[in-house]
Amino acid sequence: MPLIEDGRPAEDSWTSVPDGEPVPGDIPAIISFERWQAERDSFAGRNTKLGVRLKGGTLAPAIAEDLDRFALVAVEFPKFRDGRGFSTARELRERYGYEGEIRAVGHVLPDQYLFLKRTGFTSVEAPEGTNLESWVNALSEVSVVYQPGLGKDDPNPLINRWLKSEAVQG
Amino acid sequence: MTATAFRADPGIPGPGTFGSEPDDHAGIYRYDDLDRRFVAERVEQFSKQVTRRLAGELTEDEFKPLRLMNGLYLQLHAYMLRIAVPYGVLTTTQFRKLSEIGRKYDKGYGHFTTRQNLQFNWIKLEDTPAILGELAEVDMHALQTSGNCVRNVTTDQFVGASADEIVDGRVYAEILRQWTIAHPEFTYLPRKFKIAIMGSDSDRAAIRTHDVGVIAKRNEAGETGFTFYVGGGLGRSPFVGKLVREWVPEQDFAAYLEAILRVYNQYGRRDNIYKARIKILVHQLGIDKFKAEVEEEFARLPRPKFTLAPEIVEGIRARFASPGLERLPAESAEFERSKAENVEFARWSTVNLAAHKAPGYAIVSVSLKPAGGIPGDITSEQMDTLADLADRYSFGEIRVTHAQNLVLAHVRKDDLFDLWRQLDAIGLATANIGLIGDIIACPGLDYCALANARSIPLAQAISARFADPARQQAIGELGIKISGCINACGHHHVGHIGILGVDKRGEERYQITIGGDATLTTAIGDIIGPAVTEEAAVDAIDTMVEIYLANRTEGERFLDTIRRIGHGPFKESIYAAD
């Protein structure tokens, strides 16, 4: 499935490993949260990057203790209308200080890309058959934001403009 | 009252003042270039979404929430466009534009809603881009008037004018408006989310029937803070909002809301649309557990990122500067003389006026509930004239109330008689604010695909039955609220008399409740018996009114009589005859 990073299609260096199949030791691999819970000891000596995939109902606190073991957390959107993932990413960043990659997977729309970025996601696994052009355009469609968000280039929230407005002095 | 509080100050026009606006205007938030750019970009984004839908790139299922977040519904007979009126305040320029859109794209009228918004019920899909473009010309839009996001924030229709006001709720409603626009985390909530805010001890915004209800207040040190109620709501499972925190300091206003929303977004139910509102989460967790979750989230939200700096609040407050009110004597001889000479004007003055904080001024409620009329409807002709009157008498500002009426907030008592005569000439001088004819009703089966029964004809029949203004006044405060289905858009649960339309084997029937209350003493009404026909419902209300009049003590309201004598006498008299 096509990977989107910084508003552009990107090469995916990660491999998603279905439960039950062997996890390659020499390339970055993403395993399910359930597998991690069941087999965590088997990854004790692993030297290559490991990622974990959270189902929509698995919220940030569930993985909080183990975050230092993962270079990537994939947050699944079971349905694009199910917005829990936005809070999961934000909690990972703001509450647990996670600095690795957070990837949106599952049913997400280009129309949500700006929100994903602003809640702390770094990459998106776009659904198969998606129009890549819509993803590329998505970040520039709306340039004005009103509230604080996450992400290194998140603009200054609009609500702060009052700090500089003449009205304050007047 | 200090002399400086009402200086003759034209207000701070802000960077984006309309050219055609009267110089002297009430404190209305004016868009600046960034606000305008946002709306323009969203209109453009929506038009691309429509194109992608037509090209098959978006499925209907994917497109629907995007369409709803732009205020566009598909109803029974046509598309409906719900236009946002932030906290119910409009300039006359905006009001005239709504009138023009009604004339050009609808059937020459508009409909005000219980969320202080305006709906056009006969819109063609192909006209919507043009309508959104015209709205943008006057800094309006239809964003977040639907969908599972934070909806338009509502407040007291007398805000900034009322004699009993403690805190100006517009300032905080505007902060919330900005804070919740296209919020990246809270645009795909389990379900819609409605916030109301009040800045006085009288609850004119039905605080405890909202997902979040906020009361702005001051402490002894004169600081502003907020009491938060959570989990109120009507619909098929009505709940009264519960107190979650007595005092949230001003600087934490947004942070506390952020914490509530984050708990809701993570833990609110998504498996069943009818159990997805925050009221169900609060009910199922229990208020103590819910509160603990919110407090924990609130405690760890990063500061100062979520802190509302005093400079920000002041910057926004400056946009709501007092209009150029004159210093006037408290009483007006002219007003008193007109009342003495004209009994109709005197009645209207008693019923439709509220106390203004400035001496010599009054707040005028304009009823959109004429006898036999459709609650909340107004024609484009009436709108144009009303806009002229608002320019002449009330600083070019018009408010929408959650009871589907309009308000001219700052009228000199000396001008009241002239204003009344001109309102009367266009059929807008009905003297029934808060009385039995001031009925709240949803659009019902005449428009809505969800409805089981029509609401409007019943509202018309009741207001026609009680058309006599003297009788209405004699009955006193009595709120009837009608919903055409269990979703309760007409707030029937909290009507002193509530009416719910039901479908009984293909026939429209009406279930009657009594004892509901939408103010801070919020109560859900009791069902008094089996559903009846439209005609029988009107008779039943008449009967209940007679029982009330026979039993009330001096100055006792309908609601208080019900509370004192119980529901028994009302039930018996209605169902005894069967």
Side-chain angles (χ1 to χ4, degrees), chain A residues 87 90-91 95 107 111 134 143 146-147 161, chain B residues 32 35 41 52 57 62 179 185 297 300:
Chain A
S87 286
R90 194 151 191 171
E91 292 260 277
R95 179 173 170 187
H107 188 190
D111 312 84
S134 296
S143 65
Y146 280 85
Q147 60 294 97
R161 75 192 132 156
Chain B
D32 61 18
D35 283 310
E41 287 175 347
R52 284 162 57 220
E57 186 189 323
E62 290 170 337
W179 195 275
E185 188 177 349
E297 194 67 55
R300 65 175 167 246

mmCIF file with all atom_site columns, all heavy atoms in Angstrom, chain A residues 87 90-91 95 107 111 134 143 146-147 161, chain B residues 32 35 41 52 57 62 179 185 297 300:
data_model
loop_
_atom_site.group_PDB
_atom_site.id
_atom_site.type_symbol
_atom_site.label_atom_id
_atom_site.label_alt_id
_atom_site.label_comp_id
_atom_site.label_asym_id
_atom_site.label_entity_id
_atom_site.label_seq_id
_atom_site.pdbx_PDB_ins_code
_atom_site.Cartn_x
_atom_site.Cartn_y
_atom_site.Cartn_z
_atom_site.occupancy
_atom_site.B_iso_or_equiv
_atom_site.pdbx_formal_charge
_atom_site.auth_seq_id
_atom_site.auth_comp_id
_atom_site.auth_asym_id
_atom_site.auth_atom_id
_atom_site.pdbx_PDB_model_num
ATOM 1   N N   . SER A 1 87  ? -6.685  11.026 18.898 1.00 0.00 ? 87  SER A N   1
ATOM 2   C CA  . SER A 1 87  ? -6.325  11.197 20.310 1.00 0.00 ? 87  SER A CA  1
ATOM 3   C C   . SER A 1 87  ? -5.174  10.275 20.699 1.00 0.00 ? 87  SER A C   1
ATOM 4   O O   . SER A 1 87  ? -4.310  10.637 21.501 1.00 0.00 ? 87  SER A O   1
ATOM 5   C CB  . SER A 1 87  ? -7.536  10.916 21.218 1.00 0.00 ? 87  SER A CB  1
ATOM 6   O OG  . SER A 1 87  ? -8.466  11.974 21.146 1.00 0.00 ? 87  SER A OG  1
ATOM 7   N N   . ARG A 1 90  ? -1.969  11.896 19.650 1.00 0.00 ? 90  ARG A N   1
ATOM 8   C CA  . ARG A 1 90  ? -1.682  13.080 20.463 1.00 0.00 ? 90  ARG A CA  1
ATOM 9   C C   . ARG A 1 90  ? -1.217  12.685 21.871 1.00 0.00 ? 90  ARG A C   1
ATOM 10  O O   . ARG A 1 90  ? -0.317  13.293 22.440 1.00 0.00 ? 90  ARG A O   1
ATOM 11  C CB  . ARG A 1 90  ? -2.935  13.946 20.550 1.00 0.00 ? 90  ARG A CB  1
ATOM 12  C CG  . ARG A 1 90  ? -2.619  15.306 21.064 1.00 0.00 ? 90  ARG A CG  1
ATOM 13  C CD  . ARG A 1 90  ? -3.576  16.330 20.524 1.00 0.00 ? 90  ARG A CD  1
ATOM 14  N NE  . ARG A 1 90  ? -3.058  17.656 20.838 1.00 0.00 ? 90  ARG A NE  1
ATOM 15  C CZ  . ARG A 1 90  ? -3.555  18.771 20.363 1.00 0.00 ? 90  ARG A CZ  1
ATOM 16  N NH1 . ARG A 1 90  ? -4.577  18.749 19.540 1.00 0.00 ? 90  ARG A NH1 1
ATOM 17  N NH2 . ARG A 1 90  ? -3.038  19.924 20.702 1.00 0.00 ? 90  ARG A NH2 1
ATOM 18  N N   . GLU A 1 91  ? -1.841  11.636 22.409 1.00 0.00 ? 91  GLU A N   1
ATOM 19  C CA  . GLU A 1 91  ? -1.429  11.147 23.723 1.00 0.00 ? 91  GLU A CA  1
ATOM 20  C C   . GLU A 1 91  ? -0.004  10.588 23.663 1.00 0.00 ? 91  GLU A C   1
ATOM 21  O O   . GLU A 1 91  ? 0.801   10.817 24.567 1.00 0.00 ? 91  GLU A O   1
ATOM 22  C CB  . GLU A 1 91  ? -2.382  10.059 24.205 1.00 0.00 ? 91  GLU A CB  1
ATOM 23  C CG  . GLU A 1 91  ? -3.771  10.548 24.532 1.00 0.00 ? 91  GLU A CG  1
ATOM 24  C CD  . GLU A 1 91  ? -3.985  10.756 26.032 1.00 0.00 ? 91  GLU A CD  1
ATOM 25  O OE1 . GLU A 1 91  ? -4.277  9.777  26.726 1.00 0.00 ? 91  GLU A OE1 1
ATOM 26  O OE2 . GLU A 1 91  ? -3.825  11.909 26.476 1.00 0.00 ? 91  GLU A OE2 1
ATOM 27  N N   . ARG A 1 95  ? 1.556   13.136 26.050 1.00 0.00 ? 95  ARG A N   1
ATOM 28  C CA  . ARG A 1 95  ? 1.497   12.540 27.387 1.00 0.00 ? 95  ARG A CA  1
ATOM 29  C C   . ARG A 1 95  ? 2.703   11.651 27.656 1.00 0.00 ? 95  ARG A C   1
ATOM 30  O O   . ARG A 1 95  ? 3.246   11.641 28.746 1.00 0.00 ? 95  ARG A O   1
ATOM 31  C CB  . ARG A 1 95  ? 0.203   11.731 27.508 1.00 0.00 ? 95  ARG A CB  1
ATOM 32  C CG  . ARG A 1 95  ? 0.019   11.035 28.822 1.00 0.00 ? 95  ARG A CG  1
ATOM 33  C CD  . ARG A 1 95  ? -1.375  10.424 28.847 1.00 0.00 ? 95  ARG A CD  1
ATOM 34  N NE  . ARG A 1 95  ? -1.553  9.549  29.980 1.00 0.00 ? 95  ARG A NE  1
ATOM 35  C CZ  . ARG A 1 95  ? -2.623  8.785  30.173 1.00 0.00 ? 95  ARG A CZ  1
ATOM 36  N NH1 . ARG A 1 95  ? -3.609  8.807  29.294 1.00 0.00 ? 95  ARG A NH1 1
ATOM 37  N NH2 . ARG A 1 95  ? -2.737  8.002  31.217 1.00 0.00 ? 95  ARG A NH2 1
ATOM 38  N N   . HIS A 1 107 ? -8.515  2.714  7.286  1.00 0.00 ? 107 HIS A N   1
ATOM 39  C CA  . HIS A 1 107 ? -9.385  3.523  6.434  1.00 0.00 ? 107 HIS A CA  1
ATOM 40  C C   . HIS A 1 107 ? -9.218  5.000  6.767  1.00 0.00 ? 107 HIS A C   1
ATOM 41  O O   . HIS A 1 107 ? -9.835  5.515  7.704  1.00 0.00 ? 107 HIS A O   1
ATOM 42  C CB  . HIS A 1 107 ? -10.835 3.076  6.641  1.00 0.00 ? 107 HIS A CB  1
ATOM 43  C CG  . HIS A 1 107 ? -11.803 3.704  5.686  1.00 0.00 ? 107 HIS A CG  1
ATOM 44  N ND1 . HIS A 1 107 ? -13.159 3.597  5.813  1.00 0.00 ? 107 HIS A ND1 1
ATOM 45  C CD2 . HIS A 1 107 ? -11.601 4.468  4.575  1.00 0.00 ? 107 HIS A CD2 1
ATOM 46  C CE1 . HIS A 1 107 ? -13.766 4.252  4.841  1.00 0.00 ? 107 HIS A CE1 1
ATOM 47  N NE2 . HIS A 1 107 ? -12.836 4.798  4.083  1.00 0.00 ? 107 HIS A NE2 1
ATOM 48  N N   . ASP A 1 111 ? -8.742  13.814 3.028  1.00 0.00 ? 111 ASP A N   1
ATOM 49  C CA  . ASP A 1 111 ? -9.374  14.950 3.704  1.00 0.00 ? 111 ASP A CA  1
ATOM 50  C C   . ASP A 1 111 ? -9.027  15.009 5.184  1.00 0.00 ? 111 ASP A C   1
ATOM 51  O O   . ASP A 1 111 ? -9.328  15.986 5.859  1.00 0.00 ? 111 ASP A O   1
ATOM 52  C CB  . ASP A 1 111 ? -10.890 14.867 3.516  1.00 0.00 ? 111 ASP A CB  1
ATOM 53  C CG  . ASP A 1 111 ? -11.242 14.605 2.057  1.00 0.00 ? 111 ASP A CG  1
ATOM 54  O OD1 . ASP A 1 111 ? -11.223 13.415 1.668  1.00 0.00 ? 111 ASP A OD1 1
ATOM 55  O OD2 . ASP A 1 111 ? -11.471 15.579 1.328  1.00 0.00 ? 111 ASP A OD2 1
ATOM 56  N N   . SER A 1 134 ? -4.648  13.431 -4.533 1.00 0.00 ? 134 SER A N   1
ATOM 57  C CA  . SER A 1 134 ? -5.474  14.020 -3.476 1.00 0.00 ? 134 SER A CA  1
ATOM 58  C C   . SER A 1 134 ? -4.693  14.119 -2.168 1.00 0.00 ? 134 SER A C   1
ATOM 59  O O   . SER A 1 134 ? -4.848  15.072 -1.407 1.00 0.00 ? 134 SER A O   1
ATOM 60  C CB  . SER A 1 134 ? -6.752  13.202 -3.255 1.00 0.00 ? 134 SER A CB  1
ATOM 61  O OG  . SER A 1 134 ? -7.545  13.248 -4.412 1.00 0.00 ? 134 SER A OG  1
ATOM 62  N N   . SER A 1 143 ? -4.830  26.598 4.809  1.00 0.00 ? 143 SER A N   1
ATOM 63  C CA  . SER A 1 143 ? -3.552  27.077 5.357  1.00 0.00 ? 143 SER A CA  1
ATOM 64  C C   . SER A 1 143 ? -3.724  27.760 6.710  1.00 0.00 ? 143 SER A C   1
ATOM 65  O O   . SER A 1 143 ? -2.751  28.146 7.328  1.00 0.00 ? 143 SER A O   1
ATOM 66  C CB  . SER A 1 143 ? -2.917  28.057 4.370  1.00 0.00 ? 143 SER A CB  1
ATOM 67  O OG  . SER A 1 143 ? -3.748  29.207 4.250  1.00 0.00 ? 143 SER A OG  1
ATOM 68  N N   . TYR A 1 146 ? -6.561  27.391 13.781 1.00 0.00 ? 146 TYR A N   1
ATOM 69  C CA  . TYR A 1 146 ? -7.000  28.240 14.882 1.00 0.00 ? 146 TYR A CA  1
ATOM 70  C C   . TYR A 1 146 ? -6.463  27.827 16.250 1.00 0.00 ? 146 TYR A C   1
ATOM 71  O O   . TYR A 1 146 ? -6.478  28.617 17.178 1.00 0.00 ? 146 TYR A O   1
ATOM 72  C CB  . TYR A 1 146 ? -8.527  28.254 14.941 1.00 0.00 ? 146 TYR A CB  1
ATOM 73  C CG  . TYR A 1 146 ? -9.171  29.182 13.932 1.00 0.00 ? 146 TYR A CG  1
ATOM 74  C CD1 . TYR A 1 146 ? -9.418  28.770 12.629 1.00 0.00 ? 146 TYR A CD1 1
ATOM 75  C CD2 . TYR A 1 146 ? -9.515  30.471 14.287 1.00 0.00 ? 146 TYR A CD2 1
ATOM 76  C CE1 . TYR A 1 146 ? -10.015 29.620 11.710 1.00 0.00 ? 146 TYR A CE1 1
ATOM 77  C CE2 . TYR A 1 146 ? -10.110 31.327 13.383 1.00 0.00 ? 146 TYR A CE2 1
ATOM 78  C CZ  . TYR A 1 146 ? -10.358 30.904 12.094 1.00 0.00 ? 146 TYR A CZ  1
ATOM 79  O OH  . TYR A 1 146 ? -10.940 31.753 11.193 1.00 0.00 ? 146 TYR A OH  1
ATOM 80  N N   . GLN A 1 147 ? -6.085  26.560 16.381 1.00 0.00 ? 147 GLN A N   1
ATOM 81  C CA  . GLN A 1 147 ? -5.714  26.092 17.718 1.00 0.00 ? 147 GLN A CA  1
ATOM 82  C C   . GLN A 1 147 ? -4.343  25.419 17.671 1.00 0.00 ? 147 GLN A C   1
ATOM 83  O O   . GLN A 1 147 ? -3.876  25.044 16.606 1.00 0.00 ? 147 GLN A O   1
ATOM 84  C CB  . GLN A 1 147 ? -6.774  25.151 18.291 1.00 0.00 ? 147 GLN A CB  1
ATOM 85  C CG  . GLN A 1 147 ? -7.052  23.881 17.497 1.00 0.00 ? 147 GLN A CG  1
ATOM 86  C CD  . GLN A 1 147 ? -7.676  24.106 16.149 1.00 0.00 ? 147 GLN A CD  1
ATOM 87  O OE1 . GLN A 1 147 ? -6.979  24.136 15.150 1.00 0.00 ? 147 GLN A OE1 1
ATOM 88  N NE2 . GLN A 1 147 ? -8.978  24.276 16.106 1.00 0.00 ? 147 GLN A NE2 1
ATOM 89  N N   . ARG A 1 161 ? -3.194  35.440 17.353 1.00 0.00 ? 161 ARG A N   1
ATOM 90  C CA  . ARG A 1 161 ? -2.974  36.696 16.620 1.00 0.00 ? 161 ARG A CA  1
ATOM 91  C C   . ARG A 1 161 ? -3.324  37.892 17.473 1.00 0.00 ? 161 ARG A C   1
ATOM 92  O O   . ARG A 1 161 ? -2.859  38.992 17.246 1.00 0.00 ? 161 ARG A O   1
ATOM 93  C CB  . ARG A 1 161 ? -3.767  36.721 15.329 1.00 0.00 ? 161 ARG A CB  1
ATOM 94  C CG  . ARG A 1 161 ? -5.250  36.972 15.536 1.00 0.00 ? 161 ARG A CG  1
ATOM 95  C CD  . ARG A 1 161 ? -5.990  36.706 14.293 1.00 0.00 ? 161 ARG A CD  1
ATOM 96  N NE  . ARG A 1 161 ? -7.126  35.870 14.646 1.00 0.00 ? 161 ARG A NE  1
ATOM 97  C CZ  . ARG A 1 161 ? -8.222  35.802 13.924 1.00 0.00 ? 161 ARG A CZ  1
ATOM 98  N NH1 . ARG A 1 161 ? -8.297  36.456 12.808 1.00 0.00 ? 161 ARG A NH1 1
ATOM 99  N NH2 . ARG A 1 161 ? -9.213  35.064 14.303 1.00 0.00 ? 161 ARG A NH2 1
ATOM 100 N N   . ASP B 2 32  ? -11.259 39.092 10.186 1.00 0.00 ? 32  ASP B N   1
ATOM 101 C CA  . ASP B 2 32  ? -10.098 39.730 9.563  1.00 0.00 ? 32  ASP B CA  1
ATOM 102 C C   . ASP B 2 32  ? -9.692  38.874 8.360  1.00 0.00 ? 32  ASP B C   1
ATOM 103 O O   . ASP B 2 32  ? -10.370 37.915 8.002  1.00 0.00 ? 32  ASP B O   1
ATOM 104 C CB  . ASP B 2 32  ? -8.965  39.938 10.572 1.00 0.00 ? 32  ASP B CB  1
ATOM 105 C CG  . ASP B 2 32  ? -8.460  38.635 11.158 1.00 0.00 ? 32  ASP B CG  1
ATOM 106 O OD1 . ASP B 2 32  ? -8.722  37.569 10.563 1.00 0.00 ? 32  ASP B OD1 1
ATOM 107 O OD2 . ASP B 2 32  ? -7.811  38.680 12.202 1.00 0.00 ? 32  ASP B OD2 1
ATOM 108 N N   . ASP B 2 35  ? -9.442  35.044 8.920  1.00 0.00 ? 35  ASP B N   1
ATOM 109 C CA  . ASP B 2 35  ? -10.751 34.394 9.019  1.00 0.00 ? 35  ASP B CA  1
ATOM 110 C C   . ASP B 2 35  ? -11.332 34.205 7.615  1.00 0.00 ? 35  ASP B C   1
ATOM 111 O O   . ASP B 2 35  ? -11.883 33.169 7.278  1.00 0.00 ? 35  ASP B O   1
ATOM 112 C CB  . ASP B 2 35  ? -11.740 35.265 9.819  1.00 0.00 ? 35  ASP B CB  1
ATOM 113 C CG  . ASP B 2 35  ? -11.506 35.197 11.331 1.00 0.00 ? 35  ASP B CG  1
ATOM 114 O OD1 . ASP B 2 35  ? -11.410 34.085 11.867 1.00 0.00 ? 35  ASP B OD1 1
ATOM 115 O OD2 . ASP B 2 35  ? -11.432 36.267 11.959 1.00 0.00 ? 35  ASP B OD2 1
ATOM 116 N N   . GLU B 2 41  ? -10.919 29.083 1.704  1.00 0.00 ? 41  GLU B N   1
ATOM 117 C CA  . GLU B 2 41  ? -10.231 27.810 1.451  1.00 0.00 ? 41  GLU B CA  1
ATOM 118 C C   . GLU B 2 41  ? -11.154 26.617 1.704  1.00 0.00 ? 41  GLU B C   1
ATOM 119 O O   . GLU B 2 41  ? -11.106 25.619 0.992  1.00 0.00 ? 41  GLU B O   1
ATOM 120 C CB  . GLU B 2 41  ? -8.973  27.706 2.327  1.00 0.00 ? 41  GLU B CB  1
ATOM 121 C CG  . GLU B 2 41  ? -7.855  28.619 1.849  1.00 0.00 ? 41  GLU B CG  1
ATOM 122 C CD  . GLU B 2 41  ? -6.640  28.621 2.795  1.00 0.00 ? 41  GLU B CD  1
ATOM 123 O OE1 . GLU B 2 41  ? -6.750  28.106 3.935  1.00 0.00 ? 41  GLU B OE1 1
ATOM 124 O OE2 . GLU B 2 41  ? -5.593  29.143 2.402  1.00 0.00 ? 41  GLU B OE2 1
ATOM 125 N N   . ARG B 2 52  ? -14.606 15.203 -6.476 1.00 0.00 ? 52  ARG B N   1
ATOM 126 C CA  . ARG B 2 52  ? -14.072 13.849 -6.230 1.00 0.00 ? 52  ARG B CA  1
ATOM 127 C C   . ARG B 2 52  ? -15.191 12.845 -6.022 1.00 0.00 ? 52  ARG B C   1
ATOM 128 O O   . ARG B 2 52  ? -15.094 11.687 -6.409 1.00 0.00 ? 52  ARG B O   1
ATOM 129 C CB  . ARG B 2 52  ? -13.111 13.863 -5.042 1.00 0.00 ? 52  ARG B CB  1
ATOM 130 C CG  . ARG B 2 52  ? -11.753 14.476 -5.412 1.00 0.00 ? 52  ARG B CG  1
ATOM 131 C CD  . ARG B 2 52  ? -10.955 14.899 -4.187 1.00 0.00 ? 52  ARG B CD  1
ATOM 132 N NE  . ARG B 2 52  ? -10.744 13.796 -3.281 1.00 0.00 ? 52  ARG B NE  1
ATOM 133 C CZ  . ARG B 2 52  ? -10.804 13.903 -1.944 1.00 0.00 ? 52  ARG B CZ  1
ATOM 134 N NH1 . ARG B 2 52  ? -11.073 15.057 -1.382 1.00 0.00 ? 52  ARG B NH1 1
ATOM 135 N NH2 . ARG B 2 52  ? -10.597 12.865 -1.189 1.00 0.00 ? 52  ARG B NH2 1
ATOM 136 N N   . GLU B 2 57  ? -14.202 8.987  -6.746 1.00 0.00 ? 57  GLU B N   1
ATOM 137 C CA  . GLU B 2 57  ? -13.040 8.786  -5.882 1.00 0.00 ? 57  GLU B CA  1
ATOM 138 C C   . GLU B 2 57  ? -13.469 8.646  -4.425 1.00 0.00 ? 57  GLU B C   1
ATOM 139 O O   . GLU B 2 57  ? -12.856 7.912  -3.644 1.00 0.00 ? 57  GLU B O   1
ATOM 140 C CB  . GLU B 2 57  ? -12.082 9.975  -6.050 1.00 0.00 ? 57  GLU B CB  1
ATOM 141 C CG  . GLU B 2 57  ? -10.774 9.798  -5.313 1.00 0.00 ? 57  GLU B CG  1
ATOM 142 C CD  . GLU B 2 57  ? -9.939  11.076 -5.325 1.00 0.00 ? 57  GLU B CD  1
ATOM 143 O OE1 . GLU B 2 57  ? -9.944  11.792 -6.350 1.00 0.00 ? 57  GLU B OE1 1
ATOM 144 O OE2 . GLU B 2 57  ? -9.304  11.348 -4.297 1.00 0.00 ? 57  GLU B OE2 1
ATOM 145 N N   . GLU B 2 62  ? -18.295 7.897  2.280  1.00 0.00 ? 62  GLU B N   1
ATOM 146 C CA  . GLU B 2 62  ? -17.179 8.774  2.659  1.00 0.00 ? 62  GLU B CA  1
ATOM 147 C C   . GLU B 2 62  ? -17.529 10.245 2.475  1.00 0.00 ? 62  GLU B C   1
ATOM 148 O O   . GLU B 2 62  ? -17.074 11.114 3.222  1.00 0.00 ? 62  GLU B O   1
ATOM 149 C CB  . GLU B 2 62  ? -15.942 8.424  1.816  1.00 0.00 ? 62  GLU B CB  1
ATOM 150 C CG  . GLU B 2 62  ? -15.334 7.076  2.179  1.00 0.00 ? 62  GLU B CG  1
ATOM 151 C CD  . GLU B 2 62  ? -14.264 6.624  1.175  1.00 0.00 ? 62  GLU B CD  1
ATOM 152 O OE1 . GLU B 2 62  ? -14.273 7.087  0.021  1.00 0.00 ? 62  GLU B OE1 1
ATOM 153 O OE2 . GLU B 2 62  ? -13.434 5.787  1.553  1.00 0.00 ? 62  GLU B OE2 1
ATOM 154 N N   . TRP B 2 179 ? -11.425 28.140 18.788 1.00 0.00 ? 179 TRP B N   1
ATOM 155 C CA  . TRP B 2 179 ? -10.700 26.965 19.270 1.00 0.00 ? 179 TRP B CA  1
ATOM 156 C C   . TRP B 2 179 ? -11.207 25.679 18.608 1.00 0.00 ? 179 TRP B C   1
ATOM 157 O O   . TRP B 2 179 ? -10.463 24.725 18.397 1.00 0.00 ? 179 TRP B O   1
ATOM 158 C CB  . TRP B 2 179 ? -10.839 26.858 20.799 1.00 0.00 ? 179 TRP B CB  1
ATOM 159 C CG  . TRP B 2 179 ? -9.858  25.910 21.403 1.00 0.00 ? 179 TRP B CG  1
ATOM 160 C CD1 . TRP B 2 179 ? -9.993  24.555 21.525 1.00 0.00 ? 179 TRP B CD1 1
ATOM 161 C CD2 . TRP B 2 179 ? -8.577  26.232 21.954 1.00 0.00 ? 179 TRP B CD2 1
ATOM 162 N NE1 . TRP B 2 179 ? -8.883  24.015 22.116 1.00 0.00 ? 179 TRP B NE1 1
ATOM 163 C CE2 . TRP B 2 179 ? -8.004  25.023 22.395 1.00 0.00 ? 179 TRP B CE2 1
ATOM 164 C CE3 . TRP B 2 179 ? -7.872  27.434 22.125 1.00 0.00 ? 179 TRP B CE3 1
ATOM 165 C CZ2 . TRP B 2 179 ? -6.746  24.973 23.003 1.00 0.00 ? 179 TRP B CZ2 1
ATOM 166 C CZ3 . TRP B 2 179 ? -6.627  27.374 22.727 1.00 0.00 ? 179 TRP B CZ3 1
ATOM 167 C CH2 . TRP B 2 179 ? -6.067  26.164 23.153 1.00 0.00 ? 179 TRP B CH2 1
ATOM 168 N N   . GLU B 2 185 ? -8.129  17.123 16.313 1.00 0.00 ? 185 GLU B N   1
ATOM 169 C CA  . GLU B 2 185 ? -8.366  15.908 17.103 1.00 0.00 ? 185 GLU B CA  1
ATOM 170 C C   . GLU B 2 185 ? -9.859  15.593 17.246 1.00 0.00 ? 185 GLU B C   1
ATOM 171 O O   . GLU B 2 185 ? -10.240 14.437 17.408 1.00 0.00 ? 185 GLU B O   1
ATOM 172 C CB  . GLU B 2 185 ? -7.731  16.088 18.491 1.00 0.00 ? 185 GLU B CB  1
ATOM 173 C CG  . GLU B 2 185 ? -7.736  14.825 19.335 1.00 0.00 ? 185 GLU B CG  1
ATOM 174 C CD  . GLU B 2 185 ? -7.036  15.027 20.673 1.00 0.00 ? 185 GLU B CD  1
ATOM 175 O OE1 . GLU B 2 185 ? -6.364  16.068 20.861 1.00 0.00 ? 185 GLU B OE1 1
ATOM 176 O OE2 . GLU B 2 185 ? -7.181  14.152 21.539 1.00 0.00 ? 185 GLU B OE2 1
ATOM 177 N N   . GLU B 2 297 ? -6.696  13.951 32.825 1.00 0.00 ? 297 GLU B N   1
ATOM 178 C CA  . GLU B 2 297 ? -6.291  14.444 31.505 1.00 0.00 ? 297 GLU B CA  1
ATOM 179 C C   . GLU B 2 297 ? -5.943  15.938 31.592 1.00 0.00 ? 297 GLU B C   1
ATOM 180 O O   . GLU B 2 297 ? -4.923  16.394 31.050 1.00 0.00 ? 297 GLU B O   1
ATOM 181 C CB  . GLU B 2 297 ? -7.462  14.225 30.534 1.00 0.00 ? 297 GLU B CB  1
ATOM 182 C CG  . GLU B 2 297 ? -7.111  14.368 29.082 1.00 0.00 ? 297 GLU B CG  1
ATOM 183 C CD  . GLU B 2 297 ? -6.169  13.289 28.580 1.00 0.00 ? 297 GLU B CD  1
ATOM 184 O OE1 . GLU B 2 297 ? -6.466  12.106 28.726 1.00 0.00 ? 297 GLU B OE1 1
ATOM 185 O OE2 . GLU B 2 297 ? -5.106  13.663 28.047 1.00 0.00 ? 297 GLU B OE2 1
ATOM 186 N N   . ARG B 2 300 ? -2.524  16.858 33.130 1.00 0.00 ? 300 ARG B N   1
ATOM 187 C CA  . ARG B 2 300 ? -1.281  16.618 32.383 1.00 0.00 ? 300 ARG B CA  1
ATOM 188 C C   . ARG B 2 300 ? -1.243  17.289 31.014 1.00 0.00 ? 300 ARG B C   1
ATOM 189 O O   . ARG B 2 300 ? -0.276  17.133 30.283 1.00 0.00 ? 300 ARG B O   1
ATOM 190 C CB  . ARG B 2 300 ? -1.029  15.121 32.244 1.00 0.00 ? 300 ARG B CB  1
ATOM 191 C CG  . ARG B 2 300 ? -2.064  14.419 31.423 1.00 0.00 ? 300 ARG B CG  1
ATOM 192 C CD  . ARG B 2 300 ? -1.698  12.964 31.215 1.00 0.00 ? 300 ARG B CD  1
ATOM 193 N NE  . ARG B 2 300 ? -2.854  12.277 30.694 1.00 0.00 ? 300 ARG B NE  1
ATOM 194 C CZ  . ARG B 2 300 ? -3.524  11.335 31.337 1.00 0.00 ? 300 ARG B CZ  1
ATOM 195 N NH1 . ARG B 2 300 ? -3.147  10.926 32.511 1.00 0.00 ? 300 ARG B NH1 1
ATOM 196 N NH2 . ARG B 2 300 ? -4.572  10.780 30.771 1.00 0.00 ? 300 ARG B NH2 1
#
